[in-house]
Amino acid sequence: MNEDKKTVAILFGGRSTEHEVSLKSAWGILNHMNRRKYRAVLIKISRHGRWMFLGDIEKYSGVEDLEKAEGPIAVTGDPHFKGFMVLDGAVQKPLKVDVVFPVLHGRHGEDGTVQGLMSLAGLPCVGAGVLASALGMDKIMMKQMFFQNDIRAVDFMWFLRKDWESRQKRKEIQEGIAREIGYPCFVKPANTGSSVGIFKVHEEDELADCVAESVVFDRKILVEKAVDARELECAVLGNDEPRASVVGEIIPANEFYDYEAKYYDDRSRIVIPAKVDASVSEAVRLMAVRVFKVLDCAGMGRVDFLLDRKSGGLYVNEINTLPGFTPISMYPKLWEATGISFEALIDRLLELAFERQADLAGSRSVR
Ligand SMILES: Nc1ncnc2c1ncn2[C@@H]1O[C@H](COP(=O)(O)OP(=O)(O)O)[C@@H](O)[C@H]1O
Ligand SMILES: [Mg+2]
């Protein structure tokens, strides 16, 4: 074995609704990692939040193998360990790692929690840090940041589940939606991904049922004007001087890009590059980089847009700080179309994690 190889811990699975997607993304990353430079070790977080060590990748031949679980593994916030502790009965074996690649979509992974733990443990981590991850996860906070920075996003309002459950307050919320947002609108839990708990509400009569299903996923709900829009996406790569990829378009199989249209309906299509005017794609790329910088992201981000079919207005819908990395995912495909192969992309993301760590180490109080 090449002793100069760096060890990458791929952290995947997780407790979110996107556990399965994470397995596919982790497999995509594993298969495109430069094995001459890196040794990959696999750590899976189960649906119940248990951390399991799956060992070296050489033992695995397909994504199904990632369902297997071996012994427990732990990480502490103590930077002296420089990695993880494999727990084998009463024996603890240190597992030194050089960098962590969290491949966890959604809550407890994309939201800054894991990034915080890794930062305490002194481990460089691919992608956004605590703050940008948290801002990118919470659709309400994210949109407030957009509005504060003159980044055009769709008008919205939000409320607490607790208030929805009070009869008086619910009435006020319903009136507020009718007055300020109108129908059709979108109801979304503040913190999900993959369209889980998201509904298009065509008319007022449907609102209560949709909110009832949405509040299952969060204590905060936002309501947005529905835009009859084309969906454009742009990939961003870098730290303080990020680059934008070419622009892609999603053509969902369903009325909107819901969970089924994303992962199961093969009639959903991706078009790269998107067939839009050069001025539109230039605006998308500039705005994608601005969003990335405004939220102080690092490494990667996929910025999603809504292009109003009638007015031509361009709105930022969201940023995903840990986009999908499955073989059909937009993020790696956009870079491929921009001239960066999946392999080169993974290589660059790992380098960017080390670069960010070095940059942070230049600040006092960070070792
Ligand atoms: N305001 C909106 N107008 C039109 N379509 C929307 C709007 N908001 C969301 N959608 C549709 O719902 C999908 C999921 O919403 P999104 O906010 O991107 O959540 P997620 O984080 O789950 O991807 C979008 O890809 C789009 O198809
Ligand atoms: Mg989305």
Side-chain angles (χ1 to χ4, degrees):
M1 198 176 85
N2 175 355
E3 289 305 322
D4 297 335
K5 274 190 191 182
K6 294 221 185 303
T7 303
V8 184
I10 302 202
L11 199 55
F12 68 98
R15 287 156 69 189
S16 84
T17 42
E18 291 162 283
H19 181 97
E20 276 170 43
V21 184
S22 162
L23 263 57
K24 290 185 189 159
S25 288
W27 190 248
I29 289 168
L30 272 170
N31 282 306
H32 294 91
M33 188 176 286
N34 183 342
R35 306 277 183 78
R36 288 183 305 280
K37 269 170 85 176
Y38 297 107
R39 175 174 92 101
V41 291
L42 297 171
I43 297 169
K44 180 169 71 175
I45 303 178
S46 77
R47 287 188 172 79
H48 303 290
R50 302 216 54 143
W51 291 46
M52 312 296 290
F53 182 48
L54 275 78
D56 277 303
I57 191 250
E58 333 302 333
K59 289 191 277 181
Y60 299 92
S61 56
V63 67
E64 327 69 63
D65 288 342
L66 299 184
E67 288 289 358
K68 290 182 196 155
E70 292 195 6
I73 189 164
V75 62
T76 76
D78 186 337
H80 296 94
F81 286 108
K82 304 224 174 336
F84 295 77
M85 297 299 284
V86 179
L87 310 173
D88 187 2
V91 186
Q92 301 175 359
K93 292 184 209 150
L95 173 71
K96 190 182 157 301
V97 308
D98 297 294
V99 57
V100 176
F101 199 142
V103 193
L104 298 157
H105 309 306
R107 212 175 295 185
H108 305 304
E110 191 171 351
D111 60 354
T113 50
V114 164
Q115 290 73 11
L117 185 55
M118 296 308 140
S119 158
L120 277 176
L123 296 172
C125 205
V126 172
V130 173
L131 179 65
S133 302
L135 286 172
M137 189 71 222
D138 186 307
K139 290 184 164 50
I140 297 167
M141 290 296 174
M142 175 171 62
K143 290 187 74 126
Q144 285 170 345
M145 288 293 288
F146 293 162
F147 282 107
Q148 264 179 30
N149 288 281
D150 295 319
I151 293 171
R152 199 163 177 210
V154 179
D155 286 337
F156 78 110
M157 53 174 277
W158 70 276
F159 57 86
L160 292 172
R161 172 170 62 201
K162 214 182 261 165
D163 290 343
W164 179 258
E165 282 160 2
S166 127
R167 199 192 300 177
Q168 177 54 32
K169 290 194 175 144
R170 180 184 296 199
K171 197 159 164 280
E172 287 165 20
I173 293 167
Q174 286 169 323
E175 286 167 2
I177 294 173
R179 193 175 57 241
E180 284 164 39
I181 307 292
Y183 294 90
C185 62
F186 271 83
V187 167
K188 308 180 183 182
N191 292 279
T192 56
S194 289
S195 304
V196 172
I198 295 185
F199 298 92
K200 182 169 181 181
V201 187
H202 303 85
E203 52 191 26
E204 197 158 9
D205 283 354
E206 295 173 8
L207 180 69
D209 285 348
C210 294
V211 175
E213 291 196 49
S214 205
V215 294
V216 171
F217 297 98
D218 212 322
R219 51 179 280 281
K220 295 192 296 185
I221 301 296
L222 68 156
V223 183
E224 276 180 26
K225 276 199 168 103
V227 183
D228 177 15
R230 290 171 68 181
E231 296 192 50
L232 304 177
E233 302 192 346
C234 184
V236 182
L237 176 68
N239 285 338
D240 294 333
E241 288 167 6
R243 280 182 61 193
S245 71
V246 298
V247 177
E249 178 169 11
I250 297 281
I251 305 182
N254 290 349
E255 186 185 7
F256 71 97
Y257 204 31
D258 59 12
Y259 190 85
E260 194 194 85
K262 280 183 181 168
Y263 301 113
Y264 294 108
D265 199 325
D266 53 17
R267 289 172 305 143
S268 292
R269 284 197 302 125
I270 283 180
V271 182
I272 302 174
K275 294 192 176 65
V276 290
D277 288 349
S279 61
V280 173
S281 73
E282 207 34 45
V284 165
R285 298 176 70 228
L286 284 172
M287 238 153 118
V289 167
R290 263 206 81 215
V291 164
F292 189 92
K293 286 185 164 178
V294 157
L295 299 184
D296 196 20
C297 290
M300 62 186 152
R302 198 195 69 227
V303 186
D304 298 348
F305 294 82
L306 298 167
L307 177 68
D308 192 321
R309 286 179 204 277
K310 290 190 201 90
S311 71
L314 182 64
Y315 301 90
V316 174
N317 180 34
E318 61 164 345
I319 184 165
N320 292 286
T321 53
L322 263 166
F325 276 92
T326 72
I328 57 157
S329 291
M330 193 62 135
Y331 190 81
K333 275 185 180 292
L334 284 173
W335 283 116
E336 235 162 70
T338 313
I340 300 182
S341 66
F342 205 147
E343 284 80 4
L345 177 62
I346 301 304
D347 228 47
R348 184 68 193 124
L349 286 168
L350 289 163
E351 273 172 22
L352 286 165
F354 290 117
E355 285 173 20
R356 174 47 65 105
Q357 177 83 345
D359 193 16
L360 288 168
S363 322
R364 203 175 278 180
S365 92
V366 178
R367 285 160 41 91

